[in-house]
Amino acid sequence: MSPSSYFQTPRSTVSGFLLINKPKGITSFDVIRQLRIRTGLSKIGHGGILDKNATGLLMVGIGKATKKLASFLEGPKKYTCMMVLGAASDTHDWLGHQWMFQSVSPTITPSCIQKLFLDRFQGQILQQPPLYSALKKKGKKYYQYALCGETIEIPKREVEISKIRLISYIKKTYQAQIVFSVECSKGTYIRSLARDIGEALGTVGVVKELCRTHIGNYCLSQAIPLSYISSVEDIQQAVIS
């Protein structure tokens, strides 16, 4: 045994949580896959999916801590969303395959948007999840039906939005841009929320940018970039209990 081996971290003892700032363009599982490749650890999981187009806080469990990830799945989450009014896609975000466009009424104002938020989109609401999602029907994921060109009936389900607040509204020549923050329960789809907000304003809507800022009591400012982790030792230094 070489002298340096005495100072290496035993892989079986590495346990805890990582707060990762997920970059745009990769899936939550891509983050897990990269961490496994870089560290050689196999027991790694995440506590709540972020879409490929989304960024922000991703809770990652290492070792024995993966058994506790369910508690983060159940907790409230906060997001900041930039959506575009007057545009829509089949995925309800900027990665859509099929698009449609509608006009945006010049009578829409920031005050009427905030009123709509309070009247229609705060509290317990019924929401229809997007077809492009990992939810399952008869053992098959929704997006797999979509990729095969099959149509399925997607039932609405109850979610809770504890707070939704308008940050900015900018009217452009053909479309408009809304930025809002939202605190919501497990199972809430912000893509579906943007779609429904667009319809409620007499047009269509799509998510352009989405960032998860909080999971329970943890916030994005505590997270580290994925690029900071390249070894087991990096994880050992970054994990929280």
Side-chain angles (χ1 to χ4, degrees):
M1 181 179 291
S2 65
S4 62
S5 66
Y6 288 106
F7 302 99
Q8 292 178 357
T9 303
R11 296 182 189 275
S12 60
T13 66
V14 180
S15 179
F17 297 103
L18 286 177
L19 302 177
I20 297 291
N21 186 349
K22 188 189 89 67
K24 182 184 288 191
I26 63 173
T27 66
S28 296
F29 187 72
D30 287 334
V31 172
I32 302 305
R33 182 162 46 238
Q34 288 190 30
L35 289 174
R36 287 173 177 169
I37 292 171
R38 294 176 190 183
T39 66
L41 298 173
S42 58
K43 201 167 185 179
I44 305 178
H46 64 75
I49 294 173
L50 276 176
D51 291 335
K52 188 175 182 179
N53 188 54
T55 63
L57 185 58
L58 183 70
M59 178 67 70
V60 175
I62 309 293
K64 295 179 180 179
T66 55
K67 297 178 181 179
K68 301 178 183 179
L69 283 172
S71 61
F72 297 105
L73 288 170
E74 298 296 329
K77 299 172 179 65
K78 296 181 183 179
Y79 300 85
T80 298
C81 176
M82 177 194 294
M83 63 171 287
V84 174
L85 277 184
S89 77
D90 52 349
T91 60
H92 308 318
D93 68 9
W94 221 241
L95 300 180
H97 312 95
Q98 299 176 11
W99 287 80
M100 66 175 293
F101 301 93
Q102 289 185 10
S103 61
V104 177
S105 172
T107 63
I108 295 175
T109 64
S111 59
C112 80
I113 294 173
Q114 185 59 51
K115 185 177 186 304
L116 175 73
F117 283 173
L118 296 177
D119 292 345
R120 295 272 300 274
F121 297 104
Q122 188 162 290
Q124 292 184 329
I125 65 171
L126 286 176
Q127 184 184 77
Q128 184 183 57
L131 178 58
Y132 282 88
S133 68
L135 296 174
K136 292 182 178 181
K137 182 174 183 178
K138 297 181 179 179
K140 187 175 178 180
K141 294 179 179 179
Y142 283 9
Y143 73 82
Q144 292 175 322
Y145 287 100
L147 293 174
C148 294
E150 300 179 57
T151 58
I152 58 171
E153 183 178 346
I154 302 176
K156 291 185 177 183
R157 52 187 200 167
E158 192 174 83
V159 297
E160 183 171 1
I161 296 178
S162 54
K163 184 181 295 185
I164 180 168
R165 182 177 67 87
L166 178 68
I167 297 174
S168 67
Y169 175 69
I170 301 173
K171 178 70 173 74
K172 301 188 177 182
T173 305
Y174 297 107
Q175 281 85 42
Q177 178 181 288
I178 295 176
V179 179
F180 65 91
S181 62
V182 58
E183 182 175 348
C184 55
S185 67
K186 169 191 175 183
T188 304
Y189 279 90
I190 309 303
R191 287 179 290 142
S192 293
L193 183 60
R195 173 201 64 202
D196 295 343
I197 289 170
E199 291 178 359
L201 290 170
T203 180
V204 291
V206 66
V207 170
K208 185 174 183 180
E209 305 281 348
L210 180 64
C211 179
R212 184 157 66 199
T213 59
H214 294 77
I215 299 175
N217 294 323
Y218 296 99
C219 63
L220 182 57
S221 63
Q222 299 171 276
I224 60 173
L226 177 60
S227 59
Y228 279 24
I229 303 296
S230 59
S231 67
V232 174
E233 288 69 31
D234 291 336
I235 284 185
Q236 189 70 20
Q237 292 178 13
V239 291
I240 59 176
S241 58

